[in-house]
Amino acid sequence: MKHFRVIHRLRRRLRIIAPLLVKEMERCYMLEILLRKHPAVAEVRVVPEIGSLTVVYDPASLPEARLQTMLDTILGNLASAPRGTAQEMPRVEGPVRECSLAIEGMTCASCALLIEMKLAKDPRVHHASVNFAAETITVKGVLEREQLSRIIGSLGYEARPMDTLAQRRLLIEREKARVADARKRFIQSALLTVPVMISGMAMHRSPWLRVMEFGLSTAILFGSSNSIFRKAWALARQGEANMDTLIAIGAGAAWAYSIPGVLKTHHHVYFESAAGICTFVLLGRYMEERAKGKAGEAIRKLIELQPDTALRLTANGETEEIPIDAVQVGDRLRVRAGDKIPTDGRIIEGNSPVNEAMVTGESLPVAKKQGDAVIGGCLNGNGSFVMSVTAVGGDTVLSGIVRLVDHAQGSKLPVQKLADRISARFVPAVGGISATTFLAWALTGHPVSQALAHAVAVLLIACPCALGLATPTAIMVGTGQAARRGIYIRNGAALEMADKLDTVVFDKTGTITEGKPVVTDALLQPGYERERLADLVAAAEAGSEHFLARALADWARPHRQNELVVDSFAAVPGHGVVSRIGNSEIFLGNAQLLQERQIDSTPLAAEALRLAEQGKTPVFATVDGKIAALFAIADQARPGAGEAIALLHRLGMRTVMATGDVEPVARHVAAQVGIDQVVARATPADKLVLIRKLQATGAKVGMIGDGINDAPALVAADVGFAVSGGADIAIESADVTLVGGDITRVAAGIDLSRRTMSIIRQNLFWALGYNVVAIPVAAAGRLNPMIAAAAMAMSSVSVVANSLRLQR
């Protein structure tokens, strides 16, 4: 390999495009990308500020003359490209990656929009979404994480990884430190502002008072508020602007205009305005940081569930305490009474009740024994056990839940598009209005000081932060509250669409019912003891895996006294089983089985018909050719299923049940729980057709199923709700996952969606209305700059506070 480096000569070649490269870094990236595409090029480094290019290449495959020619061509094309065409460059193809990072340093919604617009111009980025409220970014493209971090860093922000729960805990600690720093800055600024304000109230200020005001206001602007001016300067160097720019211009202009007045007593000074502006802005940001922290409280509680350490058993049976990040799959961990379970695993020794409330939403502890799975982050009860680790890091159930909530909170709703379009044009528009205000007042004969005050008020009152916070804060609180109830929303669009649902289609087995048939009735004939019959039934069904056989075996288990041996066993497909146990011949099956064996079922025929009409499956038991009992087997409705349907009806919903079961069973279950309409013997394809037909009539349809055979219908529905077990929270075909099988959460989720969308509409109304009213009032000279700064700060806080009402 050989180094090829050009500095001064390349600087001459870059002279035309150097300003563009400094302001639009994507041109640097294009230069790197185009050079890296050559197989002989191993490394490329560009420093546009000094016109430096370093290429590490193989001279055998790429002679220097050819490299020079190729470089001339690329530079020529970049130089001839008109300004603003970077976003029109062809998208760079390659393996697409999705990367999520936390961003520190964003102070308003325009910061988020600035980062998004910057990335949108990069040909390597396919999609970028910044959530200002959650302070995160999700990017899909062909660039590496480090490259993304560099782009964000070039704008004056700091990107940090958030892949593991340990990294997320570090971010939480930094967030707490950030809130503490915001509080400290505000208090410092307020203490310095008080004497400046008192002095400013004096009708005739002495030179010494003005010197004091100058010194204190300077300390406020470039001390407590230095982050505002640093950010504004960093963006100015990039040719960009945001609300920090407007605040820096407003406060800086008031301060700079006042400097001559330190020595000239006839010159008006605005030191108190400059100090007050910064203090009110710092107060608003401190309150906003606190409020945003409360909005993300639910996901923070999830992250904090995982303990920092675990107790690992060594080969010689001793226990050692290790960091959670050192735990590996296959490790044996000791979990003591009252401890949090470190990670996902399976119990190999011991038993204990486990509280899974924060993961599944179930309030009662679940008894766990050897062989049962346990979920990391859940609280162990009063027992102790040893577990074998089955998943660590990002593969755990808890990490999956956090990713789901992250994804939902990071997504943008269609309703937010208007706010984004307005905010994207807000800063330059406000700058223009402020300049027009200054000129209008100055040219109509008013003093320059008065014109400046009104222009500064326009700069400060117009803040897009409230617009930018209106939707994401409500989504954060809404999805967080849903997660605390065991409702995991995959994306924000599902939250919005659930507000519009008017029809809900249910699967039956495993959704309305428990999916586990049980014996509901056992009618024994006179002369047959329950214990003896239980012994015979348990032995006869021991070799069968049929779901009816399992139900009979479960019924027999608590009643039997002896374990009998089966001498012969035969399954009769569609009818039942025939067994011989000792000297007894046992038949278990339907009426057809008895008829074929010439056994009279008349004594219990009427009862069998009655049970069948109730949607139950009748099973006869005979011993030595005589009927001994009649069993009724049914898949019971879930506890609370009727309540769930009633709640949906109170919300104005139409309910439909689509099932593959026969008509009598389907109608019996529907009548039990109160469902309006029944579609029986429906295949997965039939369920899909049903969803399409309902949508064709204008209905907004939600589908609730188990996420397996119902996958086509779940995808086709406007919102798909998947019923899952405690450890299965990431069913890909559904928009919403209901953990623990409690379908009452469907109604809770829809109700929460409606309340969330109501809050979003309120937030957008007040945020838009605030700016529509405030800007003309400020331009008309009716607002003092300090009052404008206070009002701007309070507008953002009020939006977040309104969103926090969802926590009630």
Side-chain angles (χ1 to χ4, degrees):
M1 289 291 176
K2 181 178 178 182
H3 280 71
F4 174 87
R5 189 171 187 187
V6 183
I7 297 183
H8 297 292
R9 183 166 174 271
L10 180 61
R11 186 184 302 201
R12 291 197 299 273
R13 295 180 181 276
L14 283 172
R15 187 179 305 151
I16 298 175
I17 66 166
L20 297 182
L21 287 172
V22 172
K23 293 184 178 181
E24 298 176 16
M25 296 298 290
E26 65 269 22
R27 304 229 176 182
C28 290
Y29 302 142
M30 280 302 297
L31 179 60
E32 285 189 30
I33 291 167
L34 293 172
L35 286 173
R36 287 178 188 274
K37 283 187 173 182
H38 198 288
V41 175
E43 187 180 350
V44 181
R45 292 192 299 274
V46 180
V47 185
E49 292 85 350
I50 62 172
S52 171
L53 168 69
T54 302
V55 180
V56 180
Y57 69 103
D58 182 7
S61 304
L62 180 64
E64 184 170 328
R66 283 179 56 196
L67 173 60
Q68 186 65 62
T69 302
M70 183 171 69
L71 182 61
D72 289 341
T73 303
I74 294 172
L75 290 174
N77 291 337
L78 286 174
S80 61
R83 182 180 176 88
T85 59
Q87 63 271 30
E88 299 167 9
M89 292 183 179
R91 177 183 289 180
V92 176
E93 299 300 329
V96 178
R97 309 175 185 86
E98 181 171 304
C99 177
S100 295
L101 294 170
I103 302 178
E104 293 183 6
M106 291 194 295
T107 54
C108 67
S110 58
C111 295
L113 289 167
L114 171 65
I115 297 170
E116 282 187 359
M117 289 189 291
K118 188 73 172 178
L119 290 169
K121 298 176 184 177
D122 194 310
R124 298 169 299 175
V125 175
H126 295 184
H127 174 74
S129 177
V130 180
N131 187 329
F132 169 55
E135 297 183 325
T136 60
I137 182 172
T138 300
V139 175
K140 287 184 179 179
V142 298
L143 74 172
E144 300 287 344
R145 185 190 302 271
E146 293 73 19
Q147 295 168 324
L148 175 60
S149 297
R150 283 203 300 272
I151 298 173
I152 294 171
S154 71
L155 295 173
Y157 307 97
E158 190 170 358
R160 295 189 177 276
M162 47 182 280
D163 298 323
T164 67
L165 294 180
Q167 291 172 340
R168 297 294 297 262
R169 279 200 297 273
L170 288 175
L171 293 175
I172 290 172
E173 293 303 316
R174 293 183 66 86
E175 179 186 335
K176 293 177 180 176
R178 202 161 58 245
V179 173
D181 181 65
R183 179 176 181 272
K184 176 183 174 183
R185 286 175 177 272
F186 161 66
I187 292 174
Q188 288 177 342
S189 182
L191 292 175
L192 295 176
T193 299
V194 170
V196 178
M197 300 289 287
I198 294 173
S199 174
M201 293 176 187
M203 295 298 294
H204 303 285
R205 305 182 207 182
S206 69
W208 291 111
L209 283 179
R210 293 195 171 199
V211 170
M212 180 270 292
E213 289 179 27
F214 168 73
L216 293 180
S217 61
T218 301
I220 292 168
L221 265 68
F222 305 107
S224 304
S225 307
N226 63 351
S227 59
I228 298 172
F229 289 87
R230 278 205 317 267
K231 184 65 62 59
W233 175 245
L235 292 174
R237 294 177 62 188
Q238 296 282 334
E240 308 286 357
N242 71 352
M243 274 307 299
D244 285 307
T245 306
L246 299 184
I247 295 167
I249 292 173
W255 175 81
Y257 178 83
S258 305
I259 292 176
V262 175
L263 300 176
K264 301 177 181 178
T265 54
H266 64 278
H267 187 89
H268 199 81
V269 293
Y270 288 102
F271 288 126
E272 76 279 9
S273 293
I277 287 167
C278 290
T279 299
F280 282 124
V281 169
L282 292 175
L283 170 62
R285 290 189 175 173
Y286 165 56
M287 295 177 69
E288 189 178 303
E289 288 286 350
R290 284 190 61 191
K292 284 197 298 181
K294 290 181 180 178
E297 183 177 351
I299 193 169
R300 186 161 54 251
K301 284 185 176 179
L302 282 173
I303 294 166
E304 291 175 345
L305 284 177
Q306 187 184 56
D308 296 326
T309 60
L311 296 175
R312 182 168 62 188
L313 294 179
T314 61
N316 57 9
E318 295 182 356
T319 302
E320 60 177 353
E321 187 173 9
I322 60 171
I324 193 66
D325 288 342
V327 174
Q328 298 179 358
V329 173
D331 282 352
R332 294 182 305 144
L333 306 180
R334 166 75 66 185
V335 181
R336 299 170 300 193
D339 283 353
K340 289 180 181 176
I341 298 173
T343 187
D344 295 356
R346 194 168 296 277
I347 296 178
I348 58 177
E349 179 186 322
N351 59 80
S352 178
V354 175
N355 186 341
E356 299 180 337
M358 276 303 292
V359 176
T360 67
E362 298 290 343
S363 58
L364 296 176
V366 180
K368 298 287 185 177
K369 60 183 183 304
Q370 185 175 340
D372 288 345
V374 288
I375 302 172
C378 295
L379 184 64
N380 183 30
N382 54 14
S384 176
F385 59 85
V386 176
M387 59 176 281
S388 174
V389 176
T390 58
V392 295
D395 298 327
T396 63
V397 169
L398 188 58
S399 291
I401 291 173
V402 171
R403 277 197 302 273
L404 278 179
V405 179
D406 267 344
H407 196 276
Q409 294 182 348
S411 58
K412 291 193 175 181
L413 306 191
V415 73
Q416 193 175 346
K417 292 179 180 178
L418 173 64
D420 281 353
R421 285 198 297 269
I422 294 173
S423 297
R425 295 164 177 78
F426 213 84
V427 172
V430 169
I433 294 172
S434 177
T436 303
T437 301
F438 177 81
L439 292 173
W441 282 90
L443 294 177
T444 52
H446 293 84
V448 173
S449 60
Q450 187 178 359
L452 178 64
H454 299 332
V456 168
V458 170
L459 287 176
L460 297 173
I461 196 65
C463 177
C465 292
L467 269 177
L469 287 167
T471 301
T473 52
I475 293 175
M476 283 180 68
V477 180
T479 54
Q481 287 299 304
R484 293 180 66 178
R485 303 179 192 185
I487 306 168
Y488 296 105
I489 300 171
R490 183 173 296 280
N491 54 66
L495 187 71
E496 180 174 6
M497 183 54 69
D499 172 48
K500 303 173 184 176
L501 295 181
D502 53 32
T503 304
V504 179
V505 178
F506 288 87
D507 174 44
K508 181 183 76 73
T509 306
T511 303
I512 295 291
T513 64
E514 295 180 333
K516 184 181 179 182
V518 296
V519 173
T520 59
D521 301 88
L523 307 177
L524 276 63
Q525 290 290 77
Y528 290 93
E529 295 181 358
R530 184 179 297 268
E531 290 74 13
R532 172 60 179 168
L533 188 59
D535 292 342
L536 294 171
V537 169
E541 296 289 18
S544 176
E545 292 298 326
H546 193 276
F547 69 93
L548 294 178
R550 295 294 90 205
L552 289 169
D554 290 341
W555 171 84
R557 190 173 295 113
H559 302 298
R560 71 181 186 181
Q561 293 180 336
N562 303 299
E563 188 169 343
L564 304 180
V565 178
V566 177
D567 297 315
S568 66
F569 172 86
V572 182
H575 296 308
V577 298
V578 176
S579 301
R580 178 165 290 280
I581 304 171
N583 297 323
S584 299
E585 188 176 41
I586 311 300
F587 296 165
L588 290 167
N590 55 23
Q592 286 88 342
L593 177 65
L594 271 62
Q595 185 177 353
E596 289 178 0
R597 305 290 167 160
Q598 298 179 351
I599 298 175
D600 184 17
S601 61
T602 305
L604 290 175
E607 286 295 328
L609 180 60
R610 180 182 64 83
L611 294 169
E613 288 174 348
Q614 294 178 3
K616 301 175 182 178
T617 302
V619 177
F620 293 92
T622 70
V623 179
D624 295 329
K626 295 181 180 180
I627 295 179
L630 174 64
F631 297 99
I633 299 176
D635 187 5
Q636 296 287 79
R638 287 181 182 273
E643 179 189 354
I645 304 302
L647 286 171
L648 289 172
H649 287 163
R650 283 202 290 272
L651 291 172
M653 297 284 175
R654 171 190 176 193
T655 54
V656 181
M657 185 171 72
T659 175
D661 215 332
V662 295
E663 186 90 15
V665 174
R667 292 205 173 277
H668 177 73
V669 173
Q672 271 189 317
V673 299
I675 285 181
D676 302 327
Q677 179 183 344
V678 175
V679 179
R681 293 193 176 277
T683 66
D686 293 332
K687 294 177 184 178
L688 176 60
V689 171
L690 172 64
I691 297 292
R692 297 294 191 204
K693 283 183 178 179
L694 289 170
Q695 290 172 330
T697 64
K700 297 297 181 184
V701 184
M703 171 68 193
I704 306 171
D706 60 13
I708 303 169
N709 61 339
D710 299 314
L714 286 169
V715 172
D718 295 291
V719 180
F721 298 84
V723 178
S724 78
D728 182 17
I729 51 86
I731 297 178
E732 293 296 330
S733 54
D735 302 301
V736 181
T737 301
L738 311 173
V739 179
D742 184 359
I743 61 173
T744 57
R745 291 172 181 161
V746 174
I750 292 173
D751 180 56
L752 185 61
S753 167
R754 291 182 175 182
R755 290 193 291 123
T756 301
M757 293 309 300
S758 175
I759 290 289
I760 288 174
R761 284 188 283 269
Q762 292 170 21
N763 287 349
L764 290 173
F765 173 80
W766 288 113
L768 284 168
Y770 166 83
N771 284 290
V772 167
V773 172
I775 293 176
V777 171
R782 301 296 182 183
L783 276 181
N784 180 281
M786 283 187 293
I787 297 175
M792 179 267 289
M794 292 304 103
S795 67
S796 298
V797 176
S798 64
V799 165
V800 180
N802 191 42
S803 297
L804 290 174
R805 292 196 299 119
L806 287 167
Q807 291 183 340
R808 298 177 185 173

